[in-house]
Amino acid sequence: TSWSDLMAEIAISALRAPQWHASNGILSVGSDGDPAENTDTNALKGILIRGLLSAYRSPFSKPPLRTLIRSYINVQCNALLELARYNRSFGVNWTGPHVGPFVHAQIAALDAFIGAIGVNDC
């Protein structure tokens, strides 16, 4: 197994982890419980997006993986904009509705938007 195969296997496993996603593919980890509580699971969304952006930018990343990562990050950003936003604030629950604002939710959302810039060559 090559490094690129291992990277793709890990990324795909994370993208398909049913315990981290709603049925529509939007990251839902950290959405249960008290949204005001800054837990590790709330931060996981941003950390996952950062890791996927690193895989996307890797010289070992093959076009099918790059396409999958781009699509995935775009779905997460669209969810933030359409389902989890209230004015200029983003909620912890990316599947909506907006609850907050909370700093930890804004940080995770920022990671998603930076990821979208990175994968869309903006």
Side-chain angles (χ1 to χ4, degrees):
T1 302
S2 69
W3 284 110
S4 62
D5 293 338
L6 182 59
M7 178 180 63
E9 183 179 333
I10 292 168
I12 291 168
S13 294
L15 298 178
R16 294 186 176 159
Q19 65 273 28
W20 293 354
H21 297 88
S23 60
N24 57 5
I26 298 170
L27 270 168
S28 60
V29 66
S31 297
D32 53 349
D34 182 0
E37 187 177 346
N38 185 8
T39 64
D40 289 341
T41 54
N42 287 331
L44 177 64
K45 291 187 281 254
I47 293 166
L48 175 61
I49 299 293
R50 276 185 262 152
L52 292 171
L53 180 59
S54 293
Y56 180 89
R57 290 179 169 167
S58 168
F60 304 107
S61 185
K62 297 177 182 172
L65 178 62
R66 289 172 57 92
T67 299
L68 178 63
I69 290 171
R70 180 185 309 112
S71 298
Y72 179 85
I73 290 176
N74 286 336
V75 164
Q76 305 314 313
C77 285
N78 285 332
L80 278 163
L81 292 169
E82 300 297 324
L83 304 173
R85 180 176 67 169
Y86 179 75
N87 291 328
R88 295 181 182 177
S89 172
F90 300 93
V92 171
N93 184 351
W94 292 5
T95 60
H98 177 276
V99 176
F102 303 110
V103 171
H104 54 275
Q106 307 318 296
I107 292 169
L110 182 60
D111 282 324
F113 293 129
I114 290 169
I117 291 169
V119 299
N120 291 296
D121 301 320
C122 295

